[in-house]
Amino acid sequence: MSKAPTLASFDLNLLVQLNLLLEESSVSGAAGRAGVTQSAMSRSLARLREALDDELLVQVGRGMEPTAFARGLVEPLHSILREIDTKILAPAEFEPATAEREFSIAAIDFAEIMVLGPWLSTLGAKASGVSVNLTGPQQAFRGGLTRGELDLVIGVVSGARASLKSRRLLTDSYVTVMRRGHPLAGKPVLDVEDHTKHDHLLVSPSGRGEGHVDVALGRLGESRHVAVRASTFLVGLQLVATSDLIMTAPRLVAEHLECSSGSVVHTETGLELPELALSMLWHTTRDRDVGHTWLRAEVLAQAKRIERGSSKGPSIGREAGAES
């Protein structure tokens, strides 16, 4: 008896050929189903006989019959090939209505307000077994995606690692927000003097650095006074609504806050500022996970709904913490 083959030395493609041979009990029949020549199937049978040290199919009259050893392989062979087909080559679909899954997402508050908030309000009705953990962007800065602690990061993406993938969700422009009744309220477009003579609130998750307004003013040889730095737009809103501070924020957030609170208004900045590009970021190891694919599709669909509902129509869906 020859030495039994190891998995590393065995050509697993032969299992498909063996399954056909046992189902057909015929070299020509198996060859026809596989789309190969009869001689090619004969060579596969010869290799199988050598590897498994058994004749597998023997001539009986004008036909062939499996050996006892081969008959014992039929069920396990079917099971193995079925598992490969359904769980590796064609994994099961994600069924949100019956799935039980937990996702962890880190997002800047702009994304929490405009994208995740409306989506989460409908989640229970279509995926009651799905739960979501929301964390601030600082978790993403500490490498939560690469360590497997996070499923998704939503924010302003720049210089992503090769192990990460991204998808643009939407782009938005900036406007200036102030309390209703502020001296600048009602002015359709601010000028440079408006920015230099009034105190600003800067939204900066890091609590440091300058924003887009500082850069724009610097190009003109001007500067502003940043009286307060806030970590989120929501905190900034509370401070702006009860003071004479002005805050530069994404248009979508400004429109949302103006409608929901009634205590603030917004106007055009009058400065050349870059667009805010909001993207989602995930690790490549989750790229083909069916549940994760569903999650990304849900987030992208919400971004499309924002586009349809926005009076300014930000652009969305191109492959790829804001300070202002």
Side-chain angles (χ1 to χ4, degrees):
M1 178 179 291
S2 63
K3 183 179 178 181
T6 64
L7 184 61
S9 65
F10 186 80
D11 183 356
L12 295 179
N13 289 316
L14 291 174
L15 293 182
V16 177
Q17 313 283 42
L18 177 58
N19 184 58
L20 293 175
L21 286 164
L22 296 180
E23 287 184 348
E24 295 293 324
S25 291
S26 164
V27 173
S28 60
R33 286 180 57 186
V36 300
T37 64
Q38 186 170 335
S39 60
M41 187 59 71
S42 294
R43 287 193 295 273
S44 294
L45 177 57
R47 292 177 63 194
L48 283 162
R49 284 168 169 168
E50 181 179 1
L52 300 177
D53 195 25
D54 189 85
E55 284 297 298
L56 299 175
L57 289 174
V58 295
Q59 197 74 34
V60 177
R62 300 182 62 180
M64 304 187 80
E65 289 187 5
T67 64
F69 174 75
R71 285 195 295 271
L73 297 178
V74 171
E75 284 305 316
L77 189 57
H78 281 171
S79 177
I80 290 169
L81 294 178
R82 186 167 54 250
E83 289 280 300
I84 292 173
D85 185 50
T86 59
K87 295 187 177 180
I88 297 178
L89 300 181
E93 293 294 321
F94 183 78
E95 297 292 344
T98 57
E100 294 192 2
R101 182 81 179 262
E102 181 178 277
F103 296 106
S104 294
I105 303 174
I108 59 174
D109 71 327
F110 169 63
E112 290 178 329
I113 295 169
M114 301 308 304
V115 180
L116 296 179
W119 172 63
L120 290 172
S121 69
T122 66
L123 183 62
K126 56 187 174 184
S128 59
V130 171
S131 59
V132 176
N133 295 327
L134 294 179
T135 66
Q138 68 277 3
Q139 180 73 1
F141 297 155
R142 293 198 296 266
L145 283 176
T146 56
R147 291 197 303 271
E149 298 167 356
L150 293 172
D151 292 287
L152 205 63
V153 168
I154 304 178
V156 179
V157 176
S158 61
R161 301 178 186 178
S163 61
L164 303 179
K165 302 191 74 170
S166 67
R167 176 72 182 261
R168 180 74 59 85
L169 292 175
L170 58 83
T171 59
D172 197 12
S173 57
Y174 287 101
V175 295
T176 301
V177 181
M178 62 205 71
R179 68 173 174 83
R180 192 176 295 276
H182 190 281
L184 295 178
K187 190 172 184 179
V189 182
L190 302 186
D191 55 33
V192 172
E193 186 177 1
D194 293 328
H195 287 283
T196 59
K197 290 189 176 298
H198 289 82
D199 289 341
H200 288 250
L201 181 145
L202 170 63
V203 176
S204 173
S206 66
R208 302 184 301 275
E210 60 182 15
H212 296 313
V213 171
D214 298 292
V215 175
L217 289 173
R219 287 196 297 265
L220 302 172
E222 301 287 350
S223 63
R224 65 173 175 170
H225 177 230
V226 176
V228 177
R229 282 181 169 82
S231 60
T232 68
F233 288 113
L234 287 178
V235 172
L237 166 68
Q238 300 301 318
L239 296 172
V240 167
T242 56
S243 70
D244 280 338
L245 294 168
I246 60 176
M247 173 180 73
T248 303
R251 185 182 301 276
L252 286 169
V253 169
E255 291 176 348
H256 173 79
L257 297 178
E258 186 170 338
C259 292
S260 61
S261 73
S263 59
V264 295
V265 295
H266 73 276
T267 187
E268 301 300 320
T269 67
L271 299 172
E272 291 187 13
L273 303 179
E275 288 184 321
L276 180 148
L278 188 70
S279 299
M280 59 180 170
L281 196 69
W282 66 96
H283 200 275
T284 52
T285 55
R286 286 171 164 79
D287 194 44
R288 294 190 62 192
D289 179 287
V290 291
H292 203 280
T293 300
W294 171 83
L295 172 66
R296 299 195 305 269
E298 287 285 302
V299 172
L300 183 59
Q302 179 58 37
K304 290 181 178 180
R305 285 190 284 271
I306 293 171
E307 180 193 34
R308 290 194 296 268
S310 171
S311 61
K312 299 298 180 181
S315 59
I316 66 102
R318 291 171 288 183
E319 290 285 359
E323 298 185 354
S324 54

